[in-house]
Structure formats: structure tokens, C-alpha cells
Amino acid sequence: MLSNSPLDIFKQFYSTCLVIFSVVIVTALMFTENTKVANDAHPVVALVVMWLGILWMSMVEGGQCSMVGLPPIDRELYKESHKITYQICSLGHKGDNLDRYLMGRQFMVIFINFTISLCGSPLEGASVLGLPQWVSDIFLGSGIAMVLTNVNIGQLTAQVNASHCMLDYINTHFMTFTLYCTLLIEMTGFMHVCYLIRDCFYFAAGKPIVTNEPPRSAAKAFFHWGRVLFSTVVLCFSLAVTLEALFKGQTTMWDFIPNWAAVIIFFVLLSLVGLLEAMQIAFFAVSKFKKEDRGDHPMARRTCNLLFKGEGRNLPGFMVGRQVTVTLIFFVAARVTTLNIKIGEDENIFGVSDGLQEFFNLGFLGAIITTILASISWQLVASAFPIAFLSNPFVYIMLNVVLAIEATGICAASWFFGTIHKKIAGFQLDEVYVGTAEEREAGGKPDTSMHPGRDFSIGTVLVAPKNWEEAIKNLESVPETFSQRRERILSNIKKMKDMMADASEEEKGAYAAGIQAEVKYLEKLNEEEESEASPAPVKDIEAA
């Protein structure tokens, strides 16, 4: 989280001003029919669809934080307080459903980004509100206005709150609807070629495919591999259609770019998205390694030194800057891959029917290509070979670029919007409802991994401070001494007592229960030490 330093306050202020300005000019674009959807349909349609997309994006992004973060917590602890969350997690964490959710969600993120781009990105030569040409070029021509609007409002704001308020954030049937949509997308089989790619890379890395479900029956195996074949055919056909349109100049690509250059840009964009998607997976993987286990390659060590130096703020800084960069590339990719063929006037691709051509024009094919080739595949490669991936010099270069983008504070508004959102929605920290991990353990319900040995390699989660502070320490597995454990317990008790002063009556009850749990844990600790050492330790309970 940003501090209250004058510099950070200034960043939040100017970032918020930029977001407001971006919303104004994007809205003006729509009502002057200077976007594709506004021009083809109606400005109101474009406005409504864009904001519905941003709203849904916030649930997709925030929902992922909750779905990935909640599995270790015993669901019985929030069965009564968060009934909808309980139902969602009961389904989402059953068997391999979390993998299915993450894969379907990845396609949904990209498709929503593509849809928002069609609603709010300007047509060629668009200008509004009498803005100087250089201002139009910066905010409209580059797509920055749409990126600032979508990232700050629809993505980072959601992640800021959902990282710490997982239970409250998805305790709504909007998330229930989103979960079913992602599972339905995965079930269609459009993305199933990713499973084949995963199996190949894990086989190459000598890693087993870990599953929480029994071996497939013959019928299920036939259905699975049938969808893998179907997905492979769809991917190849999508590539053929998109490349044909690019070579003929029949996409929404800027007119001044030659067709051959558009093809090159298409593959460069896929590579950049893939690189950024894979970097987050590799970074999370090495954050769990000891320093001596990070390989001997100079570039890998140089990258890790930059990522974890100082207080370790470069890791969350990378995640914020990466979100901005990836979203910008998604918007440009949408422009490159979306077909722009006028039905009845232009020749349809491969002579398909008008109805099928209209379907192609919606941008589904570009979303499929980007999801498989520029997102999931690269994440799987980095998950299988994290050290080898970090040895790539382009990783170090992109890390510096992304950190420079984050340092500008261009997305600092998300912290301000997150504070407003939290107050309006009434979100509370998860610890208020289920206690800390230590309290849950003292109460006989310790956190457990529902997916032992698993590293979820599909998704884009903003690292919450309470997580990355642990990641950057990279401590060896050295057990705490009794004194260290006692000091931590007493510190927890003091913090909860301090927080009780300004808490509501409901929160005070939760904090009181937490203090009691810590006291019991302290008693247990003293008993353990008494049984192992002599003389017995001084009792600290009264001091607490």
C-alpha cells in the first residue's frame, strides 16, 4: 500500500485527475460516434456495454484473489457468516474446479478487455472536445485513456480490496454467476489445447500432473481428448482467419500501418503479452526459493536481485506496472486482431456466410488466440522452467520498463478508489470473521492446502502486502525459538487490543475472541517449553 508521504499523496491526486479526464473524453468519443460500437450500434449501447464490462471485470479480478486465497481456510468457519461465499467455494474448490475456473477466467478477462476496447477506443482520426492534437494522440491514439479507466476502476481497485477482504468480496450472487460462466467457458473446450500444452511442458520438466480427481473413465477420457482436438482445430482456424485478414488489411488496425507490418506487430504483441504473463509466474516461483537455489546464470541472479532488493517493494510494483502494460497491449491486440469486414460490401474471409462473418467481426477469434498463445501457454512454460526463463535478458529489460511505469504513479488512483469502494461496500478484513492463521490453529482448525504440491500457474493476481512481505524474506526453513514465538504472540495480543479501541461492538467481540485464542496458544507454548527445558519459563499471560 502507498504511504502517506507527500509524494504518494501527489501521485494519488494526479492519477485520479487523469482517470476522471480519461472517463470524460472516452464518454465524449462515444456520443460523437467515434468508437466502433457507438458508430455501428448507438452511443448509449457503447456506454452501457463498456461500464458493464468494467463492472464485470472488477468481479472477475477480485474474485480470483478470493478463489485462490481461500482454499487453505476451513469453510466451516464462515459457513454461517458468508453463506454465498461458502456455496461458491464449495463448488469452486471441488476437485479440479479451481483449475477450470482459472482457465475460463483467463479467456473472460481477455474477451472483456477486447469488448471494452471496441466500445471505447477511438476510430481513425477521432478528436473530441477541441483537444490539441498532441493531447488526442497521447490519450486517444495510444489507448491510454481506456487503459487508465479500465485498470484503475475495473482491475486494481478490485484487487486492492479483494486481497484482504476475500470473504466479503465474493459474498454475492454476482460472483456465483461469474463462477458458472467461467466453468461453462472451460467446459466448451475452446481452451482445452492448453491442457495438451501443459502436459507436454510438465513432461519435459519431469513434473507430475497433480490432480484432485480420480483417473478418467474411458468415456471421460474420450470427451476430454475430443475437446483437446476440437480446441486445436479452433486455434488453427482462428490463426488462419486472422492472418488472412491482416494480410488483406481487413482488421481495425490503423490505416497508416502496412499489411506486412501489421502481421509482424501481431506476433510481437503476442510475445510481449506472453513475456509479461510468464514473468509473474516465474517471479512467484523463485520467491519461494533460497537464494542459493536461484541458479548460477548471471542474468537470473541479476533479475532476482532487482526484484527482491531493499524492502522488496519491487515485486508488488512489478505487478501493478505489469497490469497497466498488459492491458494496454490487450487493447492494441484487440485493434490488430478484430476483423473489420463490411457485410454485403467486402468479400468474406474464406467465403464464409454473412452470419459467420458477423461472428468473426465480434473479436472472439482474437481473444482465443491471445488467451492460448499469449497468455496461458507462456505461463505454463514459466511454471515448468522458472530459472531458465529468468535467464532470458529480455526478462530483465521488461522488469525495468514495468517498474519505471509503476514509479510514475499512473495507477495510484486505485488505492483512493479502493478506499471509497471499501467504505461503501462495508468490506471488513477476513481476520474479523475467521481470525488469523495462528488463531485458527489454536482453535483446532489450522489452515491446510486443499491442493498439496500445487502451484496455480494460470491467473493474474495483484500481490497483497501481507503476502509479498513474506515472499521477499526468502527465509530458510529454520524453526522459531520459544522466545521468538512468545514475542510474536504478545505482539498479536497488543495489536488486537489497540485495534479494539476504535472498533465497532461486533469487531470488539471478534478481537476479544482472537485475544483469547492467542492466550490459549501462549499457554500451550509455555507447556511445551516447560516439558523441554528447565527451569520453567516465566509466565507471560498476565503481562499480556
Side-chain angles (χ1 to χ4, degrees):
M1 182 178 292
L2 293 180
S3 65
N4 291 322
S5 68
L7 177 59
D8 285 338
I9 292 174
F10 171 73
K11 286 181 179 180
Q12 291 189 52
F13 172 75
Y14 98 81
S15 177
T16 303
C17 291
L18 287 178
V19 173
I20 294 172
F21 176 69
S22 298
V23 171
V24 170
I25 61 176
V26 168
T27 304
L29 271 177
M30 296 177 186
F31 281 93
T32 54
E33 299 186 357
N34 275 313
T35 72
K36 181 173 175 58
V37 175
N39 184 264
D40 293 346
H42 192 277
V44 174
V45 173
L47 182 68
V48 171
V49 171
M50 185 192 80
W51 282 107
L52 286 177
I54 291 175
L55 177 63
W56 202 359
M57 180 69 79
S58 69
M59 181 53 67
V60 172
E61 292 287 2
Q64 181 191 216
C65 295
S66 299
M67 293 297 291
V68 174
L70 287 175
I73 301 176
D74 189 336
R75 288 197 296 272
E76 295 301 315
L77 291 174
Y78 55 84
K79 182 177 182 179
E80 297 300 326
S81 63
H82 295 76
K83 295 183 178 180
I84 298 176
T85 300
Y86 178 83
Q87 294 170 357
I88 289 171
C89 291
S90 296
L91 173 62
H93 298 156
K94 180 181 179 181
D96 290 337
N97 278 353
L98 185 54
D99 278 345
R100 299 184 179 101
Y101 160 78
L102 290 171
M103 186 168 291
R105 172 212 162 273
Q106 195 70 18
F107 174 82
M108 186 178 289
V109 166
I110 294 174
F111 181 70
I112 292 175
N113 272 318
F114 275 39
T115 303
I116 293 172
S117 175
L118 293 175
C119 292
S121 294
L123 298 175
E124 187 73 23
S127 181
V128 293
L129 303 178
L131 296 174
Q133 188 59 44
W134 65 272
V135 176
S136 295
D137 290 341
I138 292 175
F139 284 91
L140 299 180
S142 66
I144 288 295
M146 278 305 309
V147 172
L148 291 176
T149 301
N150 187 34
V151 171
N152 279 289
I153 300 176
Q155 295 179 303
L156 292 181
T157 296
Q159 294 173 3
V160 163
N161 285 329
S163 295
H164 297 294
C165 308
M166 301 178 191
L167 292 171
D168 281 344
Y169 200 92
I170 63 171
N171 196 42
T172 167
H173 284 304
F174 189 16
M175 181 59 197
T176 305
F177 173 72
T178 300
L179 174 61
Y180 278 110
C181 285
T182 58
L183 295 178
L184 180 62
I185 290 171
E186 191 276 342
M187 188 176 68
T188 62
F190 281 104
M191 303 293 113
H192 267 54
V193 68
C194 295
Y195 291 123
L196 176 61
I197 297 172
R198 177 200 64 185
D199 293 349
C200 291
F201 280 115
Y202 273 56
F203 176 79
K207 291 185 176 183
I209 304 298
V210 182
T211 179
N212 295 287
E213 296 180 350
R216 301 187 188 99
S217 64
K220 288 184 176 180
F222 177 80
F223 185 51
H224 171 79
W225 290 109
R227 285 181 292 174
V228 170
L229 177 61
F230 165 73
S231 177
T232 305
V233 173
V234 168
L235 175 61
C236 293
F237 181 73
S238 299
L239 279 169
V241 170
T242 302
L243 290 174
E244 176 76 5
L246 284 170
F247 277 117
K248 289 185 175 180
Q250 293 180 316
T251 72
T252 53
M253 188 65 166
W254 291 279
D255 293 336
F256 65 87
I257 295 179
N259 296 343
W260 60 268
V263 175
I264 295 175
I265 292 173
F266 168 65
F267 286 107
V268 169
L269 291 175
L270 292 183
S271 300
L272 287 175
V273 170
L275 184 64
L276 290 167
E277 293 282 12
M279 284 170 69
Q280 65 162 340
I281 301 302
F283 290 168
F284 289 151
V286 299
S287 71
K288 303 173 186 177
F289 293 176
K290 300 176 185 177
K291 290 184 178 181
E292 58 268 26
D293 294 333
R294 293 175 182 165
D296 298 324
H297 197 284
M299 190 55 66
R301 288 194 172 275
R302 192 174 181 183
T303 300
C304 290
N305 289 339
L306 174 60
L307 187 66
F308 300 115
K309 76 173 184 178
E311 297 180 355
R313 294 195 63 86
N314 281 351
L315 180 55
F318 162 78
M319 292 303 295
V320 173
R322 173 202 156 280
Q323 191 79 63
V324 180
T325 310
V326 166
T327 303
L328 175 59
I329 296 174
F330 280 161
F331 284 148
V332 178
R335 187 161 198 138
V336 173
T337 60
T338 300
L339 276 61
N340 187 28
I341 295 176
K342 295 180 181 179
I343 306 300
E345 298 181 18
D346 299 331
E347 180 182 354
N348 294 346
I349 295 291
F350 298 144
V352 300
S353 65
D354 289 347
L356 188 56
Q357 185 61 61
E358 288 182 353
F359 175 77
F360 290 168
N361 289 352
L362 293 176
F364 274 100
L365 302 185
I368 290 173
I369 294 170
T370 307
T371 302
I372 297 174
L373 295 184
S375 184
I376 296 177
S377 296
W378 285 68
Q379 292 176 3
L380 294 172
V381 173
S383 177
F385 307 100
I387 299 300
F389 183 81
L390 292 184
S391 301
N392 185 339
F394 286 107
V395 171
Y396 182 76
I397 294 171
M398 284 304 299
L399 175 59
N400 280 277
V401 171
V402 169
L403 290 176
I405 292 173
E406 189 275 336
T408 64
I410 199 170
C411 282
S414 58
W415 297 104
F416 173 66
F417 294 142
T419 301
I420 296 175
H421 182 204
K422 184 177 180 181
K423 289 183 177 179
I424 293 176
F427 292 150
Q428 296 192 79
L429 298 179
D430 296 325
E431 287 77 7
V432 173
Y433 304 108
V434 297
T436 64
E438 292 81 9
E439 292 162 4
R440 293 192 290 272
E441 183 178 4
K445 293 189 176 182
D447 293 353
T448 57
S449 174
M450 296 180 62
H451 305 270
R454 295 290 299 281
D455 285 325
F456 295 106
S457 55
I458 303 174
T460 51
V461 182
L462 174 67
V463 185
K466 65 179 180 183
N467 294 329
W468 64 256
E469 285 175 357
E470 292 297 322
I472 58 98
K473 290 178 182 177
N474 293 287
L475 295 176
E476 298 184 16
S477 299
V478 178
E480 289 182 304
T481 65
F482 286 109
S483 298
Q484 290 173 328
R485 291 164 65 186
R486 183 176 293 105
E487 182 178 355
R488 174 168 51 79
I489 295 172
L490 293 175
S491 176
N492 289 341
I493 293 174
K494 183 178 184 303
K495 288 178 181 178
M496 284 188 282
K497 284 185 175 182
D498 291 341
M499 289 188 288
M500 284 181 68
D502 300 321
S504 63
E505 291 300 317
E506 181 181 358
E507 292 173 331
K508 286 181 179 178
Y511 287 133
I515 291 173
Q516 291 179 358
E518 291 287 350
V519 170
K520 290 181 180 179
Y521 191 67
L522 185 58
E523 291 175 338
K524 182 179 177 182
L525 174 65
N526 287 334
E527 291 174 359
E528 290 179 11
E529 188 172 11
E530 285 176 345
S531 64
E532 294 184 18
S534 180
V538 178
K539 300 285 186 178
D540 296 293
I541 298 176
E542 293 182 1

